[in-house]
Amino acid sequence: MKMFKEKIELKSKGSIPTYIDITKEVRKAIEDSEVENGIVTVVSPHTTCAVFYEEYAHDENEEGVESLQQDLNNALEKIIPYHTSADTFIYPGDEHYQAVESWPNADEYLPNGDRSALWNGDAHLKATIIGSSETFDVEKWNLGVGSTGYIYFVDFDTTRSRTRKCSITVIGE
Amino acid sequence: MKMFKEKIELKSKGSIPTYIDITKEVRKAIEDSEVENGIVTVVSPHTTCAVFYEEYAHDENEEGVESLQQDLNNALEKIIPYHTSADTFIYPGDEHYQAVESWPNADEYLPNGDRSALWNGDAHLKATIIGSSETFDVEKWNLGVGSTGYIYFVDFDTTRSRTRKCSITVIGE
Amino acid sequence: MKMFKEKIELKSKGSIPTYIDITKEVRKAIEDSEVENGIVTVVSPHTTCAVFYEEYAHDENEEGVESLQQDLNNALEKIIPYHTSADTFIYPGDEHYQAVESWPNADEYLPNGDRSALWNGDAHLKATIIGSSETFDVEKWNLGVGSTGYIYFVDFDTTRSRTRKCSITVIGE
């Protein structure tokens, strides 16, 4: 049994939910692991991001969002509206604003003290529903998926562009 | 540490979402693995299928769908309607139709060139929400769940009947 | 490669969905495992419970429910109403009631034969959507999450208070 770990960096757009195809990076980690059979686990350490498995849908809108991703945005929006005002969600409350304002790096989260920069409750809830990790099959030194399956990392946070991380761990023989 | 992998084949009904109890197969893989303590990961390699953990609900409708599965279908339908027309979802778009039409095995996906055979956007979105993998506990050579817990594989694709695969990987000592 | 497993016990409130921060327990298991790099998988063996990753939101209501948890309750309620009457869901049906009534420990599930004690269909469906397991990163002998990320166990069952279990398995080197 052996284990191989790779950490990748991704850039979110900030203005819209950012879907990123990371299948190539996962395949590369499996190759570098030299694992013949086992599993590969893909994990987001961010509470507004998620990992999921989906078909590549070919058609994209002018912002590069694939059709199934737009459809997913539309489906989730029916129960989780975009966080566009202070009363869209209960979160964030006064104590949260004050806690963040007390952090040494407060300006990173609240540029110019603008509290609306924390209006990402929608992203938190969507990420919880989709899930922060997914496990895939490793089979004969390859990712065990069909030809139409792809692994996506999504950052639902639309408050600003960020550098995100994602860890890929291959375990097997 | 050791690892044991089993791949099973399942048949979907095609006309309705197909829920299949695979608990017995997961228990068998644990037994064959001779792992005393560890984890077992169940993975679907199909983008319209998902794996989840649920109670066995005893009552079934005339099509063999358990009550909790009908309730899940009803809950998901509120945000993801069945894909019954070309404009239920943005997917599939022209480029996707054309891409599939160019595949060597196009006839498998588009029997008689009927584009409505690709109207499974509902299945893709539902599978993303439920998730393509789930991990369970292995405890004392057994599946670490209570007496009422079962593992289900679901194919949400209602366009046609298919043979599906599911991989079961046991890791532990 | 080594593996370490810890099982924790948790108490649900019973009257409302019970969210429990188990980050400290997961960190303790990683410490006890002496694993430097790997993964940690958190699994609920209960079909009305789930595991997820979320920010700690600071603000709580008078019942101790954090703002993001109230927002999640509200979002899920839009498609899965609380199970307050016999016809909220198809589940449980006659065969399920009768099966439970035949169990040796029936009184635990149906105190005084009150069938409304089984009205937890909402909890079953919510747990299916959030998922019974989540995997996290183990990095340099620590949980590989940012400073704002926490691991929550949730029991969506509001029929009565219970003692619940959750297993934490660390695998790595």
Side-chain angles (χ1 to χ4, degrees):
Chain A
M1 289 282 291
K2 52 187 168 186
M3 189 198 68
F4 176 87
K5 187 176 292 203
E6 186 66 81
K7 209 160 191 172
I8 58 173
E9 281 201 352
L10 305 160
K11 191 85 178 167
S12 71
K13 297 173 183 172
S15 55
I16 54 171
T18 305
Y19 291 87
I20 303 173
D21 173 8
I22 58 169
T23 316
K24 199 171 62 185
E25 287 82 356
V26 175
R27 289 188 186 277
K28 175 75 162 54
I30 293 169
E31 191 183 319
D32 291 347
S33 75
E34 298 182 0
V35 163
E36 180 181 352
N37 282 297
I39 58 170
V40 55
T41 295
V42 184
V43 175
S44 151
H46 306 288
T47 52
T48 59
C49 303
V51 176
F52 67 99
Y53 178 58
E54 185 55 283
E55 190 179 71
Y56 168 62
H58 298 91
D59 299 85
E60 297 179 357
N61 68 8
E62 63 281 2
E63 296 178 296
V65 185
E66 295 173 25
S67 61
L68 276 172
Q69 297 163 0
Q70 299 172 60
D71 286 320
L72 183 60
N73 288 343
N74 293 344
L76 292 173
E77 192 182 359
K78 292 177 192 172
I79 53 170
I80 303 169
Y82 286 95
H83 198 159
T84 54
S85 75
D87 58 2
T88 310
F89 298 104
I90 300 168
Y91 170 91
D94 275 343
E95 290 191 43
H96 190 67
Y97 283 124
Q98 289 163 24
V100 176
E101 284 160 358
S102 76
W103 293 350
N105 57 345
D107 202 56
E108 188 189 321
Y109 292 89
L110 290 160
N112 307 313
D114 177 8
R115 283 187 163 192
S116 75
L118 295 186
W119 292 354
N120 63 358
D122 53 344
H124 284 288
L125 302 179
K126 290 174 188 173
T128 293
I129 284 176
I130 304 301
S132 59
S133 71
E134 205 68 79
T135 299
F136 302 91
D137 199 26
V138 175
E139 191 180 39
K140 292 182 188 163
W141 298 282
N142 272 300
L143 180 63
V145 303
S147 57
T148 62
Y150 290 78
I151 301 172
Y152 291 93
F153 177 95
V154 54
D155 187 347
F156 288 112
D157 196 333
T158 61
T159 58
R160 67 185 187 284
S161 173
R162 311 245 199 132
T163 299
R164 297 303 201 176
K165 282 173 183 153
C166 180
S167 75
I168 304 167
T169 306
V170 188
I171 293 176
E173 284 171 351
Chain B
M1 288 282 291
K2 52 187 165 185
M3 189 199 67
F4 176 86
K5 187 176 292 203
E6 185 68 80
K7 208 160 192 174
I8 59 173
E9 280 201 354
L10 305 160
K11 190 84 179 167
S12 71
K13 297 174 184 173
S15 55
I16 53 171
T18 305
Y19 292 88
I20 303 172
D21 173 9
I22 58 169
T23 316
K24 199 171 65 185
E25 287 81 357
V26 176
R27 288 188 187 278
K28 175 72 163 54
I30 293 170
E31 192 184 318
D32 291 347
S33 76
E34 298 182 359
V35 163
E36 181 181 353
N37 284 297
I39 57 171
V40 55
T41 295
V42 184
V43 175
S44 151
H46 306 288
T47 52
T48 59
C49 303
V51 175
F52 67 99
Y53 179 57
E54 185 55 283
E55 191 179 71
Y56 167 61
H58 297 92
D59 299 84
E60 297 179 356
N61 68 8
E62 64 281 3
E63 295 177 296
V65 185
E66 296 173 25
S67 60
L68 277 172
Q69 298 162 359
Q70 298 171 60
D71 285 320
L72 183 61
N73 288 344
N74 293 342
L76 292 173
E77 193 182 358
K78 293 178 191 172
I79 53 171
I80 303 168
Y82 286 96
H83 199 159
T84 54
S85 75
D87 58 3
T88 310
F89 298 104
I90 300 167
Y91 169 91
D94 273 344
E95 290 190 43
H96 190 68
Y97 283 124
Q98 288 163 24
V100 176
E101 284 161 357
S102 77
W103 293 350
N105 57 345
D107 202 56
E108 188 189 322
Y109 293 89
L110 290 160
N112 308 313
D114 176 9
R115 283 187 163 192
S116 74
L118 295 186
W119 293 354
N120 64 357
D122 54 344
H124 284 288
L125 302 180
K126 290 174 187 173
T128 294
I129 284 176
I130 303 301
S132 60
S133 71
E134 205 68 79
T135 298
F136 303 91
D137 198 27
V138 175
E139 190 180 39
K140 291 183 188 161
W141 297 282
N142 272 301
L143 181 63
V145 302
S147 58
T148 61
Y150 290 78
I151 302 172
Y152 291 92
F153 177 96
V154 53
D155 186 346
F156 288 112
D157 196 331
T158 61
T159 59
R160 67 186 187 283
S161 173
R162 310 244 200 135
T163 300
R164 297 303 202 177
K165 283 173 183 154
C166 180
S167 76
I168 304 167
T169 306
V170 188
I171 293 176
E173 285 172 352
Chain C
M1 288 282 291
K2 52 189 166 186
M3 188 199 68
F4 176 86
K5 186 175 291 202
E6 185 67 80
K7 207 160 191 171
I8 59 174
E9 281 202 352
L10 305 160
K11 190 84 179 168
S12 71
K13 297 173 184 173
S15 54
I16 53 172
T18 305
Y19 291 87
I20 303 172
D21 173 8
I22 57 169
T23 316
K24 199 171 63 184
E25 287 80 359
V26 176
R27 288 189 187 278
K28 175 72 163 53
I30 293 170
E31 193 184 318
D32 291 347
S33 76
E34 297 182 0
V35 163
E36 180 180 353
N37 283 298
I39 57 170
V40 55
T41 295
V42 184
V43 175
S44 152
H46 306 288
T47 52
T48 59
C49 303
V51 175
F52 68 98
Y53 179 58
E54 185 54 285
E55 190 180 71
Y56 168 62
H58 298 92
D59 300 85
E60 296 179 357
N61 69 8
E62 62 282 2
E63 296 178 295
V65 185
E66 295 173 25
S67 61
L68 277 172
Q69 298 163 0
Q70 299 171 60
D71 285 321
L72 183 61
N73 288 344
N74 292 344
L76 292 173
E77 193 182 358
K78 292 177 193 171
I79 53 171
I80 303 168
Y82 286 96
H83 198 160
T84 54
S85 75
D87 58 3
T88 310
F89 298 104
I90 299 167
Y91 170 92
D94 274 343
E95 289 191 43
H96 190 67
Y97 283 123
Q98 289 162 23
V100 176
E101 284 160 357
S102 76
W103 294 350
N105 58 345
D107 202 55
E108 188 190 320
Y109 292 88
L110 290 160
N112 307 313
D114 177 9
R115 284 187 163 191
S116 75
L118 295 186
W119 292 354
N120 63 359
D122 53 345
H124 284 289
L125 301 179
K126 290 174 188 173
T128 294
I129 284 176
I130 304 300
S132 60
S133 71
E134 204 68 80
T135 298
F136 303 92
D137 198 27
V138 175
E139 191 179 37
K140 293 182 188 163
W141 298 282
N142 271 301
L143 180 63
V145 302
S147 57
T148 62
Y150 289 79
I151 301 171
Y152 291 92
F153 177 96
V154 54
D155 186 347
F156 288 112
D157 196 331
T158 61
T159 58
R160 67 185 186 283
S161 172
R162 311 244 199 134
T163 299
R164 297 302 202 178
K165 283 173 183 152
C166 180
S167 76
I168 304 167
T169 306
V170 188
I171 293 175
E173 285 172 351

